[in-house]
Amino acid sequence: AQGSGETATDWSTPSCTQPAACAGTAMPLGINLFGSANTEEAQKQNAREMLREWQSKIKSEVRQMERNLRKLEQEEEKIKRDIKKMAKEGGDPKNIQILAKTVVRSGKAKTRLYTARATLQATASELSNTAATMRLADAMKNSSEVMAQMNDLVKVPEIHEAMETLGKEMMKSGLIDEMIEEGLEDIDGPELEDEAEQEVDKVLDDLAIDAQLRLAITRPQAAASAASAQAKAKAAPAAAAPVAVGAADGSA
């Protein structure tokens, strides 16, 4: 006011340039010393944005997984047709066995990806619910459910790298506590050989393949032993014939 001799500080312009002159001047209400990004509303908004970004990344992984599943199914059908053709034409049993193992691996991969897709979708839904229910004063809350889901997903070989990166981001923000470092899932498994035999058996059943060829394809060692025994059985009478003639001459 002009009558009192006091001059009001104009906060709209940087007129208070000397530290000594500014000492004791009160900070006006609504000004945040740490910037607008540090307000509760801004923190909440940042947390929501992170949740939405993770949700978007997960949905992208789901779409890629669905494309991979369709590709696997197409390749699997082609290999099954090749197995049938080779078996029908009396192809090399070893090559048929190799193709059968490929079908088994494909089936395992599909099962693994279908399970991972369901887990990814559940995680995306959980992130969406977390963002929707976040109140003004809420910081990022720890989620044991998301942590369990991420620890399952990081073990899937096809998405291991992407989930590991995403998990580290979630740990840094406080959404999850830790990512458990465990080995990846065994792609083949100890039962691969048995499952390959079962797969070939299915194909051969459809084709009504000769029992001898079936044995050669599914159990090559057993087939080789049977062939060797059969060859010895055929050779035995031929070797015994001269002895019988000689014995007859001696008796005469």
Side-chain angles (χ1 to χ4, degrees):
Q2 293 179 350
S4 63
E6 295 180 358
T7 303
T9 303
D10 182 4
W11 288 95
S12 63
T13 57
S15 57
C16 188
T17 56
Q18 297 298 321
C22 295
T25 304
M27 181 68 73
L29 294 175
I31 298 297
N32 191 311
L33 285 172
F34 301 100
S36 61
N38 198 58
T39 64
E40 288 181 344
E41 182 61 33
Q43 289 175 351
K44 174 189 173 186
Q45 187 62 31
N46 288 340
R48 276 182 172 171
E49 287 175 1
M50 278 192 291
L51 289 165
R52 288 178 181 135
E53 182 181 348
W54 296 335
Q55 190 179 6
S56 176
K57 287 180 180 179
I58 287 173
K59 287 181 177 179
S60 176
E61 287 293 333
V62 169
R63 288 192 295 271
Q64 180 60 45
M65 194 169 289
E66 288 172 344
R67 288 192 290 269
N68 291 340
L69 281 165
R70 286 193 295 270
K71 186 177 179 181
L72 274 173
E73 288 170 352
Q74 292 169 357
E75 291 175 349
E76 185 177 316
E77 287 304 313
K78 181 182 180 302
I79 293 171
K80 285 182 178 180
R81 289 195 299 269
D82 290 342
I83 291 175
K84 288 182 179 181
K85 182 179 178 182
M86 291 176 68
K88 194 172 183 178
E89 295 175 354
D92 186 349
K94 289 184 179 178
N95 289 338
I96 294 175
Q97 190 75 4
I98 290 170
L99 289 178
K101 288 180 181 179
T102 303
V103 172
V104 172
R105 288 190 182 101
S106 175
K108 285 177 175 291
K110 286 196 301 180
T111 300
R112 192 166 54 243
L113 292 179
Y114 277 123
T115 302
R117 184 182 66 174
T119 305
L120 283 168
Q121 290 170 333
T123 305
S125 177
E126 184 67 21
L127 293 175
S128 177
N129 291 338
T130 301
T133 57
M134 188 174 286
R135 295 172 302 180
L136 176 62
D138 286 345
M140 187 76 76
K141 286 186 177 180
N142 183 274
S143 171
S144 58
E145 187 171 352
V146 171
M147 184 170 68
Q149 291 163 345
M150 291 300 297
N151 279 318
D152 285 340
L153 290 168
V154 79
K155 291 183 286 187
V156 180
E158 291 84 353
I159 56 173
H160 167 73
E161 188 174 343
M163 292 301 102
E164 188 175 44
T165 301
L166 189 58
K168 287 177 181 177
E169 292 178 9
M170 291 178 175
M171 284 175 61
K172 188 175 180 180
S173 72
L175 180 66
I176 64 177
D177 287 334
E178 60 180 345
M179 294 286 286
I180 299 173
E181 295 294 334
E182 292 183 353
L184 300 180
E185 289 183 16
D186 187 358
I187 293 178
D188 288 343
E191 66 283 358
L192 176 63
E193 296 292 337
D194 291 338
E195 291 180 349
E197 286 184 10
Q198 293 171 14
E199 181 59 38
V200 176
D201 278 335
K202 290 178 187 176
V203 173
L204 300 184
D205 282 339
D206 292 341
L207 296 172
I209 294 296
D210 173 79
Q212 188 173 355
L213 177 57
R214 176 193 291 266
L215 188 65
I217 294 171
T218 57
R219 297 171 181 81
Q221 291 183 345
S225 299
S228 176
Q230 189 175 12
K232 288 179 180 178
K234 286 181 178 179
V243 176
V245 172
D249 291 342
S251 62

